[in-house]
Amino acid sequence: MTGLDRNSVRRTAVLAGAALIVGLLPLASAGTAAAADPDPVPVDRFEGEVPFASQPAEGLFTWGGDADDPPELTLAERSDAPEGTKVLAGDYDISGYGGFTHDYAADRPGHDWSAHKGIRFWWDGQDNGKKTAFEIKDGGANGEASELWTTSFTDDFTGWKQIEIPFGDFTYRTDYQPVGGIDQVLGLTQMWGYAVTLPVGAPGRFAMDDVELYGKADQSLRASVSTDAAVYPVKEGGTASVKVSVATTGSAPIDEPVTVAYESAGGTAESGKDYTLVKGEITFPAGTESGASRTVRVPTLRDRTAEAAETVPLKLTVTGAKAPAETPQVVIDAHGLPYLDAKLPVKKRVADLLSRMSLAEKAGQMTQAERGAIGAGGDIAAYDLGSLLSGGGSTPTPNTPAAWAKMIDGYQLRAQATRFQIPLIYGVDAVHGHNNLAGATVMPHNIGIGATRDPALAERTGAVTAAEVRATGVPWDFAPCLCVTRDERWGRSYESFGEDPALVESMETVVQGLQGDRSGKDLKDDDRVLATAKHFVGDGGTAYGSSTTGSYTVDQGVTKVSRQELEAVHLAPFQEAVDRGVGTVMPSYSSLDLGDGQGPVKMHARGDMINGVLKDRMGFDGFVISDWNAIDQLPGDYAAHVRTSVNAGVDMMMVPYGYKEFSATLIDEAKAGRVTDRRIDDAVARILAQKFRLGLFEKPYADTGGASAIGSTAHRAVARQAAAESQVLLKNAGSVLPLKKSQKVYVAGSNADDIGNQTGGWTITWQGSSGNITPGTTILQGMRKAGGDVTYSKDASASTDGYDVGVVVVGETPYAEGVGDVGNGNDLELTAADKAAVDKVCAAMKCAVLIVSGRPQLIGDRLGDVDALVASWLPGTEGDGVADVLYGRRAFTGQLPVTWPKSESQLPINVGDTSYDPQFPYGWGLTTLTNVPGGGTASLRALALVAAAAERAGADTVARTAVTKARLLVQQKIGTAVTAASAKPFADADHLLLTGHYADAVAKLTQAYRAG
């Protein structure tokens, strides 16, 4: 793109001068110029002809990441306006993202820009050195459902300057598109306007004027030559086929001939020894249809020598069109080397490969980048990257299984251009199903899985997740979270299975669901993924108010515990994970303070815990992956961040957009001796071992054979069962539940019919969102499918007369991580609208209140007016499961995985606390089973004898059944009259049950019975 300087001279004077000059030229010259360069076409003059309005009307409108991010716009009178008398001016102070858009009217056809060379506008420079993104909108239904094509300019000047951007400079946005892909071709024949994204991080102002289309479409800008791939791996002795195509924006035939001269030259392969030189020229005559192609073949030669991969660049010289952005490379596959022999033990393969690698290649293996940072992917080979990830909401366009597989295969193809063709390991946060993928089966969040108390079901949910994730080409899942949540003000509390380490350990069957056999032998299968135990260690114990991250109050804070409490509460689940063969571990953002005089130390710097406890004492033989940019929170300069974390035992660094800097810094630190060769070799060996176990060297590309099962009836049946078993019945006065199909049911509340609220954070995007964001069944839809006579009024504004029972579904809207911390714009109270709905419905009829949330909500002040109360947690996409227990198809069997407090002032409150007086104790959960035992103390004595005998005999199933019967008997007596005297032994009993102390559990329940 180019910029035309303008200081104080008005644009009208410039045009007048230009007209005078043209008048002095010979007529033929003037006529030729006029024919070659059509008049500019105005898009925006900012004189008031385009209003401030949004779709479906034509207009200018602002947008941003939060309420403060949209800029303030005005049409300002300026004496120095380049055109007319007004300019578009504005002020901004953006912390997330923000800007403005001009959309054409959605109820009229899009505009045709294809006759022009590009778009230009005047910009009042502030010389701030910042980049401003400029986008145009192509194709689709309207301006908010079109493809975004982007470029940027730098404000490194002062005063007015005309910015000219040829259409050929725009690239398709890969990090975000508002709709599914249309065709990913800049057609220019159906344009919907433009958008400007303003700089972030500091207050600023801008002024802009006269947006217009300029120049004549130049074939070299609207026609381009491309190849069908950037990399062409071929076995030694084989022939690579490179498909060369010509295409035009708008798909019109080419006006002028396009020639492509090609020559195989350069690279690491040797002409005549490794391949046969090819050289020639392709001509696409004028009139050739867009998309036409020719094939160039590059033969390779066999020399019977074991060797690493070698490259043969195919240099293309293009005339009459835009050349490919990259030189395509033929790659002669590595062959004959021991590490490629799948029959050898993993340890030997690792040792052979490691012995051949350079320091730079090793540093690359220790580096993980975000897919949105690497563009077309050329940096994968340039930096020998070992891993990529999709952060929350980082998805291909369209967000389909096929697009995921195609995207990841494209990245794996890039890795084939490296010397040893080490495949990438691609990771995602599939924390409750393949939650980034639209249409995937979304499970209840971990807090709901903990409520099921069903380890076998937890394993099945992991298996479904693994199958759906691997079928899209992803072999690595950043799950499960093994945090033990100790304060429900924490925004990640729903990622925990519960507050009791024994409960968390019991749910770690999910590791086998994800990975298969503890030995790792199943990892190469097409329905298994590498699991990640996170966040090591103590992230669930951070104290309220201890976070130093932005406005967070709990997340990424300080866990201050004794070594004894650390071992018993927070470390125990990680030992279980190691014993189960978990493949990777992720340290926590949080700090650990053991009262040893060191004060709080960030976990990514705690070599005593990562090297000392995890790797040495626990025997963890997988690799440690950092959290997102977590090393940036360490003290010191960047070099200190790198060496401290690597020396502490972090093997791979998640540096999403800083991968170049990390790799270079690690190499420098190693050369300086501040990170030893031994430490680097250990890290790389651990990473390579998991890649070999996953079978990536033999099968780097996606096996999509299981893709048809994504979101299938069978997979959703597992999620439906999990949703049903996760429902915890806290109160059921008068046996309001289960409902009868003959009853007329009045349904209200914000979360009755909202799949986004029901699935919570980490769904499609990082924070999740309300609304119809992914296929599934809402609770309301599930009730209707169950055959109920249901009327719905979200705000309970409809008449409540004539109904037998009301169901009010209330709770939270989605959030993730510290964004959801209480005190950071969140609390544990129901919204005013939800309270009003509960009050109105429960005053008019018998009612059941369902709380859809990631943590307990404070409802004690309304408990007396509510007949039935259900903790629904975040049940996922299968609202049918909730309906199953509401209508009695399944019995309520869920139990509280966390203590339900009476007030926020009680927090933190957990099982085992000396002072313990909750609304409902840990482990509480009524049932709608008909065979609830009776008999009082006599039955408890008998159950105690059964539990003791079964415990001695190792008959766990019999013993657990006895304890469960005792629990139900006690709950039946206590009802809602929970006191401190009954709550504490009741909660203790559930912990004793999980730890195998069955006789003691019944004894505690007997104590609770007597106190109740």
Side-chain angles (χ1 to χ4, degrees), residues 422-505:
I422 302 172
L424 295 164
I425 180 170
Y426 199 100
V428 297
D429 285 279
V431 298
H432 62 139
H434 197 353
N435 43 258
N436 279 302
L437 171 64
T441 307
V442 178
M443 302 292 171
H445 270 293
N446 282 354
I447 196 75
I449 300 298
T452 70
R453 295 299 201 281
D454 190 340
L457 180 58
E459 183 171 351
R460 289 174 64 204
T461 65
V464 168
T465 298
E468 296 199 359
V469 168
R470 194 70 183 257
T472 59
V474 179
W476 185 14
D477 185 3
F478 304 133
C481 185
L482 303 184
C483 47
V484 181
T485 177
R486 306 294 283 179
D487 188 337
E488 275 55 65
R489 290 172 291 189
W490 185 35
R492 300 192 85 134
S493 56
Y494 64 76
E495 293 188 51
S496 172
F497 292 113
E499 71 186 34
D500 184 353
L503 175 57
V504 175
E505 289 177 61

Side-chain angles (χ1 to χ4, degrees), residues 371-387:
R371 59 169 285 277
I374 61 165
D379 278 356
I380 292 171
Y383 291 89
D384 292 290
L385 294 179
S387 181

Side-chain angles (χ1 to χ4, degrees), residues 244 251 349 440 615 677 707 737 814 877 906 924 952:
V244 180
S251 300
R349 298 179 75 182
K615 290 182 176 179
D677 292 345
L737 296 177
T877 50
Q906 288 185 313
W924 187 265
R952 287 193 299 272

Side-chain angles (χ1 to χ4, degrees), residues 205-359:
R205 62 185 178 85
F206 77 93
M208 181 182 189
D209 199 15
D210 192 27
V211 183
E212 65 184 14
L213 309 177
Y214 75 94
K216 179 186 176 184
D218 182 344
Q219 177 166 290
S220 65
L221 291 174
R222 71 181 187 86
S224 61
V225 168
S226 63
T227 57
D228 56 330
V231 178
Y232 296 83
V234 61
K235 293 185 182 302
E236 186 187 46
T239 298
S241 297
V242 180
K243 187 175 173 183
V244 180
S245 302
V246 64
T248 61
T249 55
S251 300
I254 58 176
D255 299 328
E256 303 165 12
V258 172
T259 60
V260 182
Y262 59 86
E263 181 179 6
S264 57
T268 58
E270 185 179 337
S271 176
K273 176 186 175 186
D274 298 310
Y275 69 96
T276 301
L277 176 70
V278 296
K279 185 175 182 180
E281 185 175 276
I282 297 168
T283 298
F284 295 97
T288 299
E289 294 293 325
S290 178
S293 63
R294 306 286 188 273
T295 299
V296 176
R297 290 180 171 79
V298 182
T300 68
L301 304 173
R302 188 182 298 276
D303 61 11
R304 303 183 181 276
T305 302
E307 54 195 345
E310 297 172 304
T311 58
V312 186
L314 185 64
K315 295 183 177 181
L316 305 178
T317 303
V318 179
T319 304
K322 190 174 182 179
E326 297 179 66
T327 297
Q329 293 199 72
V330 174
V331 179
I332 304 170
D333 288 339
H335 54 278
L337 301 174
Y339 77 89
L340 296 168
D341 186 353
K343 296 178 182 178
L344 289 178
V346 166
K347 191 172 182 179
K348 286 189 175 181
R349 298 179 75 182
V350 169
D352 177 68
L353 178 52
L354 193 62
S355 71
R356 302 174 186 277
M357 295 171 68
S358 68
L359 175 59

Side-chain angles (χ1 to χ4, degrees), residues 101-134:
T101 291
H102 174 182
D103 273 356
Y104 292 137
D107 58 357
R108 283 177 252 167
H111 293 212
D112 187 347
W113 294 1
S114 63
H116 293 272
K117 179 178 182 179
I119 190 167
R120 67 188 179 193
F121 50 89
W122 290 87
W123 190 264
D124 187 12
Q126 306 300 308
D127 199 17
N128 56 27
K130 293 186 176 289
K131 285 189 175 182
T132 296
F134 190 90

